[in-house]
Amino acid sequence: ADHEHVITVYSGSGGWKKLLNYNSPDAAYLLLLDKQGIVVWKHTGEFDKTKYDELAAKLKSLLP
């Protein structure tokens, strides 16, 4: 059910990576945007429990 809210980008991402100061070409990037398209949370790299908890809290705060 969540797949309609997820976008996976495999190529052509250079512009937004530069805009968000992501500069590690082999890293994974995870962004959370609000309904207005504003980046409200981001992470790059390997799984991190603290970052996961931040993401979960941010998601909860954005849901009705």
Side-chain angles (χ1 to χ4, degrees):
D2 293 333
H3 284 242
E4 69 183 60
H5 303 289
V6 175
I7 299 172
T8 303
V9 179
Y10 294 102
S11 64
S13 58
W16 67 263
K17 285 180 182 179
K18 184 176 180 180
L19 181 66
L20 296 167
N21 296 316
Y22 284 144
N23 50 16
S24 181
D26 295 327
Y29 301 96
L30 182 60
L31 304 172
L32 175 63
L33 285 69
D34 65 12
K35 288 184 178 186
Q36 290 74 39
I38 296 170
V39 177
V40 294
W41 183 89
K42 64 181 180 176
H43 177 66
T44 185
E46 297 179 11
F47 176 80
D48 178 294
K49 175 71 167 109
T50 301
K51 286 292 190 175
Y52 174 81
D53 292 342
E54 288 176 12
L55 173 60
K58 192 62 176 176
L59 280 168
K60 188 175 180 179
S61 76
L62 292 174
L63 295 174

